[in-house]
Amino acid sequence: MLELKNYNSQILNEISLKIDNQNLTILGANGAGKTTLAKVLSGVISSSNITYEEPKTEFINYIPSKLEIFDDYLNVEEFLELSSLHSNKKIAEVLELLDIVHLKNKACKYLSSGESQLLLLASSILHGSKYTILDEPTSNLDPQKVKLVFKILNSNEYLKHKIIITHNLNFAYKLGVDVAYMENGQIKFLGSNEEFFSKNNLYNIFSDSVKKIDDNIVIDL
C-alpha cells in the first residue's frame, strides 16, 4: 500500500492518494503537477505525508522522462548492470524483449531520445520494484515501439504494479486501469477508466478537442 495524505507544496495543493496493489495512469496538462507528484510518491522529494512499505528500493522505483547518467561513456550493458536489483530477468533477455540488443555496447551519451526511453524501460524491468512509476514512457517513440511498450506495460509479467504518467490518451484508455486526472496541482478526477473516458467526462475536461471514435481516443483537429 502506498498512501499520500494532504500534501501541499508550491506546486501541489491538498493532494491525497491511496494506491493499494493496483495500476494507475496519471493524466493532465503540462504543468499540472504530474511529475512533482511522482517524485513525492517515490521519495525523490521527501515528505512525512507519505506512507509505504520498506525497504524503499524494493518497494518503489521512479523512472524519469529523460535519461540522466553520471558517466557520459557508460554503455548500455553497464547501465543495466547497475539497474539489476530485485528482478529475476537477465539483461540479455530484456534487451531482446525491447529489441535493443544492437545497442548493448553503445555509450549512453550517443543514444537517441527514443533509444534512451527504451533503456529506461529496460532498467525499470531489471529493478523489479513492487511499484514502478514511469514518467512519459512513450515519449519520442515511433508507432511500432509505442505498441511494443504498450504490450509490456499491459502485461503483469514484467512489472508488478505500474503508475504511468502520460499525455497519450489513447494509450491510457487502452490500458484500461484507473485514472487520476490532475489540474493546477490538484487531483480533479480519481476513478475508473470507463468513467473517465465516458463521452460526457471527455467533453467536460477537453471540450470538443478530444473524441472517442471506433473505440479509440483521438484528437479532433
Side-chain angles (χ1 to χ4, degrees):
M1 187 269 293
L2 174 65
E3 186 171 13
L4 183 65
K5 292 183 178 179
N6 302 320
Y7 180 84
N8 289 284
S9 70
Q10 290 183 328
I11 296 174
L12 301 178
N13 182 23
E14 289 297 317
I15 294 286
S16 292
L17 182 64
K18 184 177 181 180
I19 302 170
D20 193 5
N21 293 331
Q22 69 192 87
N23 299 319
L24 181 73
T25 52
I26 301 178
L27 308 177
N30 294 325
K34 302 183 298 297
T35 294
T36 301
L37 175 58
K39 290 180 177 179
V40 174
L41 291 174
S42 62
V44 174
I45 297 176
S46 61
S47 171
S48 60
N49 298 62
I50 192 162
T51 303
Y52 42 69
E53 301 167 16
E54 297 290 349
K56 190 189 301 184
T57 58
E58 293 184 26
F59 183 72
I60 192 160
N61 184 26
Y62 170 61
I63 302 297
S65 58
K66 293 182 180 179
L67 176 66
E68 296 180 4
I69 55 175
F70 64 88
D71 182 347
D72 283 346
Y73 293 96
L74 198 70
N75 70 31
V76 164
E77 186 172 36
E78 291 166 339
F79 180 87
L80 293 178
E81 285 173 354
L82 296 174
S83 304
S84 301
L85 295 176
H86 311 295
S87 172
N88 59 6
K89 303 292 183 185
K90 303 298 183 184
I91 291 175
E93 179 184 359
V94 175
L95 289 172
E96 182 72 30
L97 173 69
L98 291 168
D99 193 26
I100 53 174
V101 175
H102 60 288
L103 300 177
K104 183 174 72 169
N105 298 314
K106 189 172 183 178
C108 293
K109 70 171 295 183
Y110 295 123
L111 296 176
S112 71
S113 56
E115 291 170 340
S116 297
Q117 203 69 49
L118 294 172
L119 177 59
L120 286 169
L121 179 56
S123 74
S124 72
I125 295 171
L126 290 166
H127 191 285
S129 292
K130 181 174 182 179
Y131 288 95
T132 303
I133 303 178
L134 300 119
D135 197 345
E136 296 291 349
T138 61
S139 63
N140 304 307
L141 296 183
D142 61 61
Q144 287 180 312
K145 288 298 191 291
V146 170
K147 191 169 184 176
L148 173 61
V149 171
F150 174 82
K151 181 179 178 181
I152 292 169
L153 297 184
N154 197 41
S155 166
N156 294 321
E157 181 179 352
Y158 306 105
L159 295 169
K160 296 173 185 175
H161 301 294
K162 286 89 64 176
I163 302 169
I164 301 167
I165 298 172
T166 183
H167 284 289
N168 189 329
L169 293 176
N170 198 48
F171 191 90
Y173 172 59
K174 293 294 185 177
L175 284 172
V177 302
D178 288 350
V179 174
Y181 181 80
M182 298 189 67
E183 185 178 300
N184 298 323
Q186 295 181 309
I187 295 177
K188 294 293 187 180
F189 175 95
L190 181 61
S192 71
N193 189 282
E194 182 179 6
E195 184 182 358
F196 182 82
F197 287 104
S198 67
K199 181 178 179 180
N200 289 340
N201 194 59
L202 285 176
Y203 186 81
N204 288 338
I205 293 176
F206 303 107
S207 188
D208 59 355
S209 61
V210 171
K211 292 184 178 180
K212 186 186 291 187
I213 301 176
D214 295 331
D215 202 36
N216 286 284
I217 307 301
V218 299
I219 300 173
D220 190 14
L221 299 175

